[in-house]
Amino acid sequence: MGKLIEKLTAKDTLVADGAWGTLLQAKGLEAGGCPEKWNIDRPNDVLEVASSYINAGSDMIETNTFGGNRFKLMHYGLESQVFEINKKAAEISRKAAGQDRIVLGSVGPTGKMLMMGDVTEEELYDAFKEQSLGLEAGGADGIIIETMSDIDEAKLAIKAAKENTSCDIVCSMTFNQSPDGKFHTMMGITPQQMVKDLIDTGVDIIGSNCGNGMKQMIGIIQEIRSVDTNIPIFIQANAGAPIYKDGNTVFPESPIEMGQFVETIIENGANIIGGCCGTTPEHINVIAERVKKVSAQ
């Protein structure tokens, strides 16, 4: 049993962090820039983001490595620095987290499509292995494979992380809600199918991030729990559905608006709650206070 599972066993509900890109952009990250390069060039700014979530009440923080695989870094000529960039990112988050909080190494999709022949399974596995090794070397307690749409890519990422590290493994997929109210990823995977396909991979925690606000996440949790009543569920919602306003993408939900759904999210079976796009330390602080209140009841 890893550190994340131990902490989850000791406490009914944990609080994750919020958006990283939102805060890095506020610090000057330009559109189309490489966030992961900041781990090397601007580590203090990355540390400030990580620390802001710890100070807000997060039990765990991720690493600035969502696009830290060789295929994504290739766009910036950084594919030879995958291990270094991921290791450095984990070291930064570890410094912010100390020894009491959890560091989750962020692993996002590669952007390559297996079904289109863009990449082979072996190439994907090797890319995820390389990234996972760097994250563990930097001090990550767990690895979160997040914002996935393709179940086969998700399974390869889980396999690579489990076979090459001793980290707890989280897998989080992104679902869209169709007009009939049903949820599915861009590749057509439903929450129920996610559970059925991933449960035998040995993944420790599953869930959903991005794509939806807190209210929509309730339905996703219910679908997961209809298949499995035991596996821990990780939820990171956006601050509402994005709105394009005055040339910018805005996420409209305030911390209070997001926080009002925390009790219902917990009642329906979520075990770890945080935020995704548009969320800030203020959002996480409200979520943490609501979680504390529910736990005290």
Side-chain angles (χ1 to χ4, degrees):
M1 184 186 295
K3 187 176 176 181
L4 173 57
I5 298 301
E6 283 183 2
K7 189 174 281 287
L8 193 55
T9 302
K11 189 177 178 183
D12 291 337
T13 310
L14 298 177
V15 178
D17 59 5
W20 280 67
T22 300
L23 301 193
L24 291 174
Q25 288 164 10
K27 288 180 172 294
L29 177 65
E30 297 179 356
C34 180
E36 292 76 22
K37 196 169 186 293
W38 279 37
N39 298 322
I40 306 298
D41 295 345
R42 296 178 61 171
N44 289 336
D45 287 312
V46 178
L47 178 62
E48 286 178 5
V49 172
S51 298
S52 70
Y53 285 119
I54 292 296
N55 294 335
S58 294
D59 295 302
M60 64 194 72
I61 50 172
E62 295 189 23
T63 56
N64 180 37
T65 55
F66 179 73
N69 62 75
R70 67 175 69 159
F71 297 107
K72 291 286 190 179
L73 292 178
M74 194 178 295
H75 296 302
Y76 306 98
L78 299 171
E79 64 271 21
S80 65
Q81 295 177 253
V82 171
F83 184 90
E84 176 192 359
I85 286 171
N86 283 273
K87 181 175 182 289
K88 181 63 175 177
E91 289 171 347
I92 293 169
S93 287
R94 173 53 66 205
K95 184 176 181 180
Q99 294 306 310
D100 294 334
R101 313 292 178 95
I102 299 294
V103 172
L104 282 180
S106 173
V107 173
T110 61
K112 299 294 183 180
M113 302 290 286
L114 271 168
M115 65 182 298
M116 299 298 291
D118 291 346
V119 67
T120 66
E121 290 188 1
E122 183 179 12
E123 287 169 335
L124 276 184
Y125 178 92
D126 287 343
F128 290 129
K129 173 183 176 180
E130 181 179 33
Q131 189 176 6
S132 297
L133 286 171
L135 290 167
E136 185 179 46
D141 302 296
I143 290 176
I144 179 165
I145 297 150
E146 58 182 337
T147 325
M148 287 286 169
S149 295
D150 183 348
I151 198 74
D152 292 324
E153 183 177 25
K155 287 165 77 172
L156 282 167
I158 294 168
K159 180 178 172 65
K162 282 200 73 69
E163 291 182 349
N164 296 282
T165 75
S166 59
C167 294
D168 291 317
I169 310 298
V170 184
C171 186
S172 180
M173 301 193 80
T174 299
F175 301 96
N176 304 307
Q177 189 173 25
S178 55
D180 62 3
K182 295 181 178 179
F183 293 96
H184 54 81
T185 73
M186 289 189 297
M187 304 295 287
I189 305 299
T190 65
Q192 294 100 324
Q193 186 177 347
M194 171 186 71
V195 180
K196 292 173 182 175
D197 283 8
L198 296 186
I199 205 70
D200 292 332
T201 64
V203 69
D204 297 294
I205 300 168
I206 58 174
S208 181
N209 74 295
C210 206
N212 295 280
M214 281 284 211
K215 186 176 182 179
Q216 289 74 32
M217 287 296 188
I218 296 168
I220 294 171
I221 296 167
Q222 290 171 342
E223 291 194 33
I224 293 172
R225 284 287 176 239
S226 72
V227 179
D228 191 296
T229 58
N230 295 315
I231 192 165
I233 296 178
F234 188 108
I235 293 295
Q236 284 184 303
N238 287 348
I243 297 171
Y244 194 68
K245 183 178 180 181
D246 299 328
N248 296 305
T249 301
V250 178
F251 292 87
E253 285 190 5
S254 69
I256 297 300
E257 288 171 324
M258 280 194 77
Q260 67 181 327
F261 294 105
V262 168
E263 186 170 1
T264 306
I265 289 279
I266 294 172
E267 287 174 350
N268 278 275
N271 305 95
I272 303 173
I273 307 171
C276 204
C277 300
T279 59
T280 64
E282 288 73 26
H283 288 84
I284 297 304
N285 184 247
V286 170
I287 289 171
E289 290 301 316
R290 292 298 180 98
V291 167
K292 192 183 300 181
K293 184 178 179 180
V294 171
S295 298
Q297 291 176 352

